[in-house]
Amino acid sequence: MDNELHELEAELKRLRPVAPAPAVAAEIGVALAVPRRRFWAWTALPLAAGLAGIALLREHPAAPTPAPAPVVAAAAYKPVSAENLLYAQRDEGLVTLADGTTARRYRSSYVDTITWKNPRTQASLRWSVPRTEERVIPVSFQ
Amino acid sequence: MEDIPDDESWTDWFQRYGPKLLLCARQWTRSLADAEDVVQEAFVRFWRHQRGLGGEPQALLFTSVRRAAIDLARRNSRRSAREEHADGGLESTEPLFETPLEGDDRRAAIESALRQLPVEQREVLVLKIWGELTFDQIAAQLGIPPNTAASRYRYALGALRETLTAADCHG
């Protein structure tokens, strides 16, 4: 390459590409925070929630109930909030259903977070699970 | 290029490479919004599944970006045939590069010249200059021989120089 092309090359290298919008990093953060394997998430999280509930109860020795069974402990917790965080949404285009109908399929990914609280001890328990929602909407062509 | 240290967070990595990835994604998408979606999808996929594979993480990430862009293009083409465009992107008018304190006219001229390049030359140029990939890596990325990548790069630079010189003469 001649010198002129080297100079152009150097000039191009000095240009700095624009950065992605801050929302992109935020959405990556949400996506990376979601457990990788959904099967494990669905099976392990309830178990973890139960264990956490037991652990929380043990942190309150003043509670008069002596060593409650997990089922009894869980019953003491009341749901106080439920949130859905939508972190990805995708239009998957047209699909043909089994009956031959044409439809458009949308896939949305959420993290559902449910919080329980024990009104007597004020101990709380939060349970977050990933959820994928698939919507199929029939379309008609004019 | 070094492997990603274990203690490096994704935010550090994204901050460092995000702009380059976005520029490359814009080669292969129709709009800035699509390119950002592609970068997001590719980065998540890379960080979860590929960063531990060893080798050149940056090259792996560019591969991930390209695949995500191809997936998106396929979905888009299914979505609406009448909106279908040829591959090649950079159709949006949003700036590709940060505005320098001086010489914004020159940046605009370079961007305009870049948009006029044939797709196959431009993608090699972008991967080489801003992606900092070698010709071997670019060749693997695009499925072409390394010599072809190198010659496309030279053609791209030559074409850019011609366009910019013509713009200077008329400007």
Side-chain angles (χ1 to χ4, degrees), chain B residues 12 24 36-37 53 60 71 85 90-91 97 125 128 135 145-146:
Chain B
D12 295 335
C24 286
E36 288 182 332
D37 286 348
L53 296 178
L60 277 174
D71 289 347
H85 294 171
L90 291 193
E91 288 165 12
F97 302 103
L125 185 81
K128 177 73 178 151
F135 285 127

Side-chain angles (χ1 to χ4, degrees), chain A residues 1-2 4 8-9 11-12 15-18 20-21 24-25 27-29 31-32 34 36 90-91 104, chain B residues 10 14 18-19 22 26 36 40-41 43-44 48 79 95-98 106 110 129-130 153 157 160-161:
Chain A
M1 280 196 303
D2 59 35
E4 210 176 322
L8 177 58
E9 196 177 33
E11 182 182 11
L12 294 177
L15 287 173
R16 297 173 54 181
V18 294
V24 178
E27 289 183 19
I28 289 173
L32 290 177
V34 173
R36 186 187 304 184
R90 175 178 298 169
D91 178 352
R104 184 177 289 283
Chain B
W10 70 265
F14 188 71
L22 181 64
R26 291 177 74 180
E36 288 182 332
Q40 180 188 330
E41 182 180 332
F43 192 88
V44 170
R48 278 187 172 163
R79 183 184 304 166
L96 299 173
F97 302 103
E98 288 179 3
R106 179 69 173 173
I110 290 174
I129 297 271
W130 294 283
Y153 179 71
L157 279 180
L160 269 187
R161 178 176 59 182

Side-chain angles (χ1 to χ4, degrees), chain A residues 2-141:
Chain A
D2 59 35
N3 278 344
E4 210 176 322
L5 286 187
H6 279 301
E7 282 173 20
L8 177 58
E9 196 177 33
E11 182 182 11
L12 294 177
K13 284 179 180 172
R14 284 195 295 274
L15 287 173
R16 297 173 54 181
V18 294
V24 178
E27 289 183 19
I28 289 173
V30 171
L32 290 177
V34 173
R36 186 187 304 184
R37 308 187 82 173
R38 292 188 175 162
F39 171 78
W40 286 109
W42 279 106
T43 53
L45 281 174
L47 179 62
L51 292 174
I54 294 166
L56 282 169
L57 284 174
R58 286 184 177 169
E59 284 173 8
H60 295 274
T65 319
V71 175
V72 175
Y77 282 74
K78 307 290 182 196
V80 290
S81 72
E83 297 166 5
N84 312 115
L85 173 65
L86 173 65
Y87 68 90
Q89 196 162 35
R90 175 178 298 169
D91 178 352
E92 297 191 325
L94 297 179
V95 294
T96 303
L97 305 180
D99 63 356
T101 312
T102 303
R104 184 177 289 283
R105 186 163 62 198
Y106 299 90
R107 189 183 295 272
S108 306
S109 300
Y110 298 86
V111 177
D112 293 340
T113 302
I114 304 169
T115 306
W116 286 273
K117 202 165 190 175
N118 184 328
R120 190 167 46 79
T121 64
Q122 296 302 308
S124 64
L125 181 63
R126 182 171 293 168
W127 180 29
S128 294
V129 289
R131 174 169 62 86
T132 300
E133 178 182 288
E134 196 175 277
R135 281 186 300 140
V136 179
I137 300 172
V139 296
S140 62
F141 297 101

